[in-house]
Structures are given as C-alpha cells and as structure tokens.
C-alpha cells in the first residue's frame, strides 16, 4: 500500500526548506534535484553506511544519473564510532576526489549518525555546500530536521559541529520497513516526545494507533512522522540556534543522555533512554505540583509501545547523577529540566533541586519497590 | 609615539562588528570584553603561536583577569602546518579542558594561520562560540576581517572551513614593530591590493608614504591598515559568502597561489607571490586593451616597496600553469581572473584565454629578456 506524499515547510526565511514524507520517494531524487535547480555540472557525494548502502544507495544513484548528475558513493561503518574527526577527514578526501565544487551537494542517506556526519561535511567543505537529508530510520525524523550537524570528540559527544540546514528532507517510508522491531519502538519514542511537548491531540491519536504504528502501516507512520516533523519544524523556525525555545526538544534528554553514557552507548537505544527520561520528567512535574495523571499517562503510553520506563537494575544511580553533572544542561548547583505541565505542553525549569532528581532516579530503578 | 585609535564597522546587520586599530590596545582587552557584555563566568581560550606567545599573550591574559575573566592559553607551532585537523582536534580538547561553554570566547592572537585555525575552532566548538581576532602581522589585516576561517587538508588548502564573523577585531600596532623587514614588505603587498581594487587615492597616498610605511611609522601604518580594512569590510558587507563581488579580493591570487604551490609554501611569502600575481593581472589588463600605464605603474609601486614583480628563474612555467588549472578559480577551458581596468578599480573576467595567461607567465620570468 502506498501512503500519500505529505509535505511541510521549515520556515526559516531564506533558508526555508521542504520535508517530503511518503513511499517510493528515493527514486525521484534526480527529478527533485533538477526541479530545484541543482547544477548538473557539480558532482554529488552520497554518504551512507554499510547497512543502508546495499539496500537503497543504488536507487538514489540511478535516479540522479538518469537526470544527468554525476554521483560518488562514500560508505562509512555502521554506528556512532563513525561520527569522528578521522572519518570526517576521509569524507573530505572523498569529496575532493569526486571533484565536488562550491555548487555541489552532499546527501546523507541513513540514520542520525550518517545525517550528523555528512551534514558536518556539507557545512564545512569549501565553507559550506548544499546538503540533503534522506533519513532511513524513524529516530532520524528528529535529527534530519533543524540543521544541527556534528561529530564527536573522544571527550564529548557532538562537541564539534554547526548549524547547517538541508535544502530538503526526503523521507521515503519504504526504507523503514526493514527496521528491526526494537528500533521501531525506540524511534517511535522520539515521535511521541514531539506530541508530549506540543500537541495533546497528536498524543491521543498516537495512543489510539499503537498497533498500526508498531506494524509499520505506511499511512499511520506517514501521518505520525508528519506530525512529529511539524512540531520540530515549528520549534526550530522560532529558535534556529537554540537560544531558548528549542531547548524544549530536550524533554527526557537530561536523564536519557546520562543513562546512555553510564550504560555504554548502544546498550540502551537512544529512544529507550529518553523514554525513561520522559517518565522521570513526568515525575518531576508531579513534584512541582502538576496533575499526577501526567506521570501515570506518560508511563502507560510508553509501556503500550513496549518502551522501558524503568532504569535497568545494574545501572548505578550515583553514576547517573555524576553523568548529569557533566551534561551541559547543568548550571551552578541547580539543574535545568524540561518539565511537562500537562500532556502536550512543557516548561523550561532552571530551578530543579538536584535532590528531587536524585530521588526520582532512585524511584525509577527496576525493583525499587514501587508499582 | 602613539597612533590615534581608529575605528570602523563591518556592516553585516546582526553580525556587524567593529575593527579597532591603534597602539596599546592589547592591554584593554578585558575592558572591551566587559563593555560588550561577554559573560564573566564563561572561560576564554587564547590561541596563539610559539613566536607570539612570549611577546604578547601575557598582556592579553593580565587584562582579561583584571576584568574578572578566566583565560587559558593554547600555543601552536609557528607555520602553515598548524592549520591541520589534528592541531584543530587538540584545540577542541584544550577548549573542553578549559571548560568553555556556549557563551565562551575564542581569541586568535597572531597572524593568518592562528586566525584561520582559532576561527574554525570558534565556528564549530559547541556549534559556534564567540570569536575575537587580534592580528599581529600586517598581512593578517586581510584575513582577520570577513569571517573566512579554515584548516587545510593534505590534498587542498583551506578546504575545510566556515564563515564565522568575529565579535571584534583588535589591531594593536605595537605588535607590528617586531616584524622582520621581509614580512613587513610582504604584508604591505596585501594592503596595496586593497587600494588597487577599490581606491586610487589610497594608492597615491600609499606610494607617497613608502618610506614611513616601511619604517613602521605608527601613524602611517595605522592609516594604511585602516584604509585596507575599510575596503575589505565594504566588499565583505556587500557579499559575505563570496557569491560574486567578494571575488575581486582575489586580485593577483590566481597566479600568486600557483607560485606559492610550485615554489613550496614558505619559499615565496604570500604577499610576495601575490605582488607578482598583481603584476601579471596588470599585464592582462593591457592585453584586454586597458591603459598600458596600469602595468607600468603597478610594477613601479611594488618595486618601490622592495616587492618582487618577476617569477624566480627556477620556477617552471608549465608547473605554474598546471597549478592554476587545479585552482578552483579555473572553469571549463577559460580562466577566471580579476583584471584591473585602471589603478583603483577591477573587473571579474570569466573569459581569459589560457594562452594569454601562459604568455604572461613566460614574460614574467626573471631574465625573460624584457625590460
């Protein structure tokens, strides 16, 4: 079954760009390049990873060549380790060897790692060339919109980066059909997040369509990604460089990042870690006096999607607290958290006592004796 | 003798910034940081090189500390080799270790290498932090204005970079007094360039004040740097990202870059190479039918400043032509050159026959039998 092609625009003035979500889109790449006036004489670099390359790279390349574009493929190893300066260096070399010029385009075909890495190449090669995002995971609906690109340093994640908006985001739902179920669930966690911070109706719809979403029904998935990208794009268009509002996108991320760091990256998937983090943020809301139903409802929905809402028993709460203190969201003794005020809205709190956080981290541990 | 402090503004809307040129300015760093509202709680990273560090770093640091700023020094090796990804990596580490946050500032204290390198750190650390340029060479009056920052790849110079404008440029003339005479002359070559592309009156003044300029008279030097920076800032404010007009700043650079590459970097100083390149561009002007006096006058002025206008005899013209073909300013058989139309104005020509260029490269060789 084919899903309708949905389109939305990230409103950023001169840098505004469309997001297209639908089936069979990768084979239309060349056509879209031509329509948007990308110059044929400037070679294209297609950056992808070893898992995605054999599934989808040829479709994109064939389409580009049919429209008269020259394209070179650069394949990186699957996983976060590819977001390094040395892999970046290799991609710059690939861009030089492919003869990319100032009017060339770098395409990211893959998940968040490929998007962040290829985006940093596009942001810096010859001081910036065109960039196109083609996410192939559900999770990447988040990172592919908004222009944050980066690589890691051995001492800190995402510390070397830029804001570099894509020319467009092409989201081919067909690429999601091959995702393992655990990644589907974890990806959906980031989609629900966009409902929880901004849109109660969408949370309700999401809750009611759990079965179709987990079954990768293209129409349901297309709608959910559209709504998720919409929230992201509204927030980004109001605060491109994260001076204030954009911080709300970090709901669940303070605890989530700490859990990922302590568990070792890859043990807990990002979407799983932030599901636990959002459960924690909902408990903070209750502590601040908001409706206790926020916490109960948040946990119920995550459980329905098979997502964790408890910290694995082998993770040490001290280590989690320590990791949070290193997080850049921590300032001078008090902690900064995005806290729900109801289902579908949040506030940025700079005044969260760290002993409340500690208390909630303890409560969230598996087997902590609470229902 | 103290020179007056001159100020000009690079008009770039939200990113507009001042350039201050005068004596004794480094010791006012802290005061300027405070006046401009740089937050005291955010540490500063001072990037400099081993030659400059022992002369001027302490003055800057003392001034910052007196105003309540925490500052860490990062010293790189003198020379172009420091503009590498591995030195960049080390500076990111230094920034992390110094605890730089999103509101921190990176200062470049040095010549063009330090400015480009530290600027790329500022452009990418946490996706961009404040940047301050403190040039300590005459040549750097050019690179410190306009926001072009970059590091080299082993296959290409300046290929990894960004546009990242400084918060301000602080040009302390006292730092120029220790420059070796050859670097003074080479630096003045880039200053004259700004006159040749934009301002005939300034060329005339420059010509008349050769002795005072070569003698590093602070008042003359301050005025010349002010006029040079003014041309640069006018051009940059009209075309920040080099879509068209900014290309005129490349007068003399097509041949100049090729000469530097063929001679081996460091053999010919950049300012020397572009002096020869500007002599070549002036001959092209004559070939296009402009007043022959342009070429004679250009060469006379450069000679007066002790700058070369001939290609050293041991440089092979074939190699120079080949290097130009690799330059990004070369497109499809025809060559792009900035060509003078009179003293003080230029045009961008996309239609320069490569055999004219070849002919002029031959003529320019030392001992080519021409007066």
């Amino acid at each position: 079954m084919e899903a309708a092609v949905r389109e939305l625009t990230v409103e950023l003035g001169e840098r505004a760009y469309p997001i297209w979500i639908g089936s069979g889109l990768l084979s239309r790449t060349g056509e879209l390049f031509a329509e948007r006036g990308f110059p044929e004489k400037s070679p294209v670099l297609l950056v992808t990873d070893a898992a995605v390359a054999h599934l989808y790279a040829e479709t994109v390349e064939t389409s580009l060549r049919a429209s008269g574009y020259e394209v070179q493929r650069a394949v990186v190893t699957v996983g976060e380790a590819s977001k390094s300066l040395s892999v970046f260096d290799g991609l710059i070399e690939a861009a030089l060897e492919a003869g990319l010029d100032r009017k060339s385009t770098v395409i990211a075909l893959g998940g968040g790692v490929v998007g962040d890495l290829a985006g940093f190449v596009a942001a810096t090669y010859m001081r910036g060339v065109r960039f196109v995002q083609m996410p192939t995971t559900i999770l990447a609906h988040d990172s592919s919109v908004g222009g944050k690109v980066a690589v890691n340093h051995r001492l800190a994640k995402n510390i070397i980066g830029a804001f570099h908006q894509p020319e467009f985001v092409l989201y081919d739902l067909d690429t999601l059909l091959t995702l393992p179920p655990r990644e589907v669930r974890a990806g959906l966690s980031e989609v629900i997040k966009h409902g929880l911070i901004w849109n109660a109706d969408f949370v309700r719809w999401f809750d009611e369509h759990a079965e179709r979403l987990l079954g990768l029904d293209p129409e349901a998935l297309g709608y959910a990604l559209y709504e998720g990208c919409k929230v992201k794009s509204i927030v980004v268009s109001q605060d491109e460089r994260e001076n204030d509002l954009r911080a709300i996108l970090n709901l669940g991320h303070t605890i989530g990042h700490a859990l990922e760091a302590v568990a070792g990256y890859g043990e807990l998937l990002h979407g799983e870690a932030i599901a636990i983090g959002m459960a924690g943020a909902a408990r903070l809301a209750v502590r601040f006096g908001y409706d206790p139903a926020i916490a109960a409802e948040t946990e119920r929905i995550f459980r329905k999607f098979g997502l964790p809402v408890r910290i694995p028993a082998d993770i040490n709460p001290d280590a989690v607290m320590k990791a949070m203190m290193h997080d850049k969201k921590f300032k001078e003794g008090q902690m900064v958290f995005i806290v729900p005020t109801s289902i579908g809205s949040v506030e940025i709190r700079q005044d969260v006592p760290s002993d409340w956080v500690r208390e909630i981290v303890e409560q969230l541990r598996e087997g902590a004796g609470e229902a």
Side-chain angles (χ1 to χ4, degrees), chain A:
Chain A
M1 188 181 68
E2 288 240 330
V5 177
R6 292 183 167 82
E7 176 173 351
L8 58 92
T9 303
V10 184
E11 302 290 356
L12 282 167
E14 280 183 350
R15 291 185 303 287
Y17 55 93
I19 303 170
W20 292 297
I21 302 167
S23 299
L25 295 180
L26 291 185
S27 59
R28 292 172 54 188
T29 306
E31 179 192 323
L32 291 165
F33 268 51
E35 269 174 23
R36 302 187 75 77
F38 291 18
E40 279 173 33
K41 284 172 187 161
S42 298
V44 176
L45 186 71
L46 177 68
V47 180
T48 187
D49 72 23
V52 172
H54 73 281
L55 293 170
Y56 309 115
E58 209 173 307
T59 306
V60 175
E61 289 163 357
T62 304
S63 169
L64 282 168
R65 289 186 185 124
S67 294
Y69 294 93
E70 207 180 297
V71 53
Q72 284 292 326
R73 189 190 301 184
V75 181
V76 302
T77 306
V78 175
E80 185 78 18
S82 284
K83 274 177 65 175
S84 69
L85 272 184
S86 70
V87 174
F88 166 78
D89 190 2
L91 289 175
I92 293 289
E93 186 156 339
L96 280 164
E97 279 168 0
L100 264 70
D101 60 35
R102 289 179 58 191
K103 294 181 174 172
S104 283
T105 305
V106 174
I107 300 176
L109 175 69
V113 166
V114 167
D116 284 4
L117 172 65
F120 191 57
V121 172
T124 57
Y125 181 76
M126 291 187 171
R127 299 194 180 88
V129 295
R130 286 185 175 84
F131 178 41
V132 165
Q133 283 272 20
M134 300 187 179
T136 62
T137 66
I138 296 174
L139 187 66
H141 88 285
D142 184 44
S143 56
S144 65
V145 176
K148 275 192 180 180
V149 297
V151 296
N152 302 327
H153 187 275
R154 61 197 165 281
L155 299 179
K157 280 190 73 172
N158 291 327
I159 203 75
I160 304 169
F163 290 92
H164 190 65
Q165 302 292 343
E167 298 294 313
F168 62 83
V169 180
L170 192 74
Y171 216 141
D172 190 331
L173 298 171
D174 297 344
T175 64
L176 306 177
L177 302 177
T178 46
L179 287 174
R182 187 179 169 195
E183 281 196 30
V184 170
R185 293 192 297 271
L188 289 171
S189 169
E190 194 86 60
V191 182
I192 311 177
K193 183 201 77 179
H194 287 116
L196 290 173
I197 63 174
W198 201 264
N199 186 342
D201 289 343
F202 176 45
V203 176
R204 204 168 306 119
W205 179 93
F206 204 89
D207 184 22
E208 286 163 7
H209 292 76
E211 205 176 326
R212 285 177 64 192
L213 287 166
L214 290 165
L216 294 173
D217 172 271
E219 187 53 35
L221 206 53
Y223 177 73
L225 291 171
Y226 171 82
E227 288 293 335
C229 288
K230 191 159 78 179
V231 172
K232 177 84 185 247
S233 68
I234 290 168
V235 172
V236 165
S237 66
Q238 288 180 35
D239 177 26
E240 185 179 7
R241 289 181 166 257
E242 192 162 343
N243 293 314
D244 38 53
L245 181 67
R246 192 164 175 163
I248 69 171
L249 299 170
N250 292 324
L251 176 66
H253 281 59
T254 306
I255 294 176
H257 279 159
L259 293 174
E260 283 180 278
V262 174
Y265 289 100
E267 287 302 305
L268 270 177
L269 297 181
H270 178 68
E272 294 168 346
I274 65 158
I276 302 168
M278 286 187 269
R283 284 172 183 237
L284 269 182
V286 178
R287 201 74 166 75
F288 273 110
Y290 293 110
D291 186 353
I294 298 171
E297 188 65 1
T298 301
E299 292 198 3
R300 184 188 63 72
I301 297 172
F302 283 124
R303 285 187 203 272
K304 187 169 180 179
F305 279 84
L307 284 161
V309 289
R310 290 291 176 274
I311 296 174
D314 59 343
I315 289 182
N316 182 331
D318 291 332
V320 175
M321 291 305 293
K322 202 176 156 202
M324 270 189 273
M325 300 300 172
H326 274 93
D327 193 292
K328 60 192 173 198
K329 285 164 212 78
F330 170 73
K331 281 179 196 164
E332 299 162 34
Q334 292 208 301
M335 301 182 75
V336 182
F337 266 86
I338 312 305
V339 175
T341 54
S342 67
I343 295 288
S345 69
V346 292
E347 62 184 5
I348 304 171
R349 297 214 63 134
Q350 319 268 350
D351 61 344
V352 181
S354 59
D355 49 338
W356 290 13
V357 178
R358 169 92 210 186
E359 208 177 287
I360 284 168
V361 166
E362 297 277 6
Q363 283 172 14
L364 284 177
R365 282 188 84 198
E366 268 171 3
E370 196 220 22

